[in-house]
Amino acid sequence: MKIARVLLPFLLSAGAFAPASAQEPRALDHSDYAIWNRLQNDILSADGRWLAYRLVPGDGDAKLVVQALNSDRSLTLDRGT
């Protein structure tokens, strides 16, 4: 308990000397929305091993993604294939 009382002021003051190089967040504009993706029509298999969903970008064609949940296997099909 004594150690905590001694170290606590040092730990609290360490935050005051944090580097000021952190960037300020910028405001979003229309070009930012174009790169966002949306998930649509998601469905889980009956056994819970597979997840399928439609990945729709802000600009461009959608893709169908089928992903195994118990491993890192996945299949991506472009629109029209």
Side-chain angles (χ1 to χ4, degrees):
M1 190 69 174
K2 290 181 181 180
I3 295 174
R5 287 183 187 165
V6 172
L7 290 179
L8 185 61
F10 291 111
L11 293 174
L12 292 176
S13 64
F17 300 108
S21 64
Q23 294 180 350
E24 287 289 321
R26 65 177 181 80
L28 296 176
D29 59 12
H30 291 288
S31 64
D32 295 320
Y33 295 113
I35 62 172
W36 285 358
N37 293 322
R38 295 184 315 258
L39 298 180
Q40 294 179 340
N41 304 348
D42 57 314
I43 188 167
L44 187 63
S45 66
D47 61 0
R49 292 182 173 180
W50 294 92
L51 173 67
Y53 55 90
R54 190 172 165 223
L55 186 64
V56 183
D59 185 25
D61 291 334
K63 297 179 182 192
L64 172 68
V65 179
V66 180
Q67 187 170 2
L69 297 178
N70 57 356
S71 68
D72 56 353
R73 292 176 25 193
S74 68
L75 172 69
T76 303
L77 300 171
D78 292 330
R79 182 176 176 229
T81 58

